Amino acid sequence: MAKTYNVFISHSWDHVDDLRNLRRLLENRGYFKVNFLETPPHDPINSQNSAYVKSVIRKHICESDVVIGIAGVYASYSEW
């Protein structure tokens, strides 16, 4: 039976297609299953309170077995 991993992918809304492609790639592996813990585009955190956003992200990261940080030349910036 395939093991299930909780995965958090750090991402930018400016590159949401890359996030979707990576999620699809991981979902299509037959030798493990994934449960994504990052905030998806269809269900944003919806808060202007950066402390709250940080706490939600921290909770997701702490519950993850795997954390993936996507990096590139042009990084987006947010306070959290």
Side-chain angles (χ1 to χ4, degrees):
M1 180 173 206
K3 179 173 169 66
T4 299
Y5 292 95
N6 289 329
V7 177
F8 177 88
I9 304 172
S10 175
H11 63 281
S12 166
W13 294 125
D14 292 339
H15 303 282
V16 74
D17 288 338
D18 295 331
L19 173 65
R20 288 184 181 121
N21 290 336
L22 179 55
R23 287 178 70 145
R24 198 170 19 258
L25 176 76
L26 294 171
E27 288 172 326
N28 290 332
R29 302 302 96 175
Y31 43 90
F32 63 86
K33 296 180 189 276
V34 288
N35 178 36
F36 296 108
L37 298 180
E38 78 277 349
T39 302
H42 62 273
D43 189 18
I45 295 173
N46 283 335
S47 178
Q48 297 300 316
N49 181 338
S50 64
Y52 173 73
V53 174
K54 286 179 190 178
S55 72
V56 171
I57 292 171
R58 183 178 293 114
K59 179 179 181 294
H60 290 313
I61 290 171
C62 289
E63 293 173 350
S64 297
D65 299 306
V66 177
V67 175
I68 299 173
I70 300 175
V73 176
Y74 303 103
S76 300
Y77 175 78
S78 64
E79 188 175 328
W80 50 86

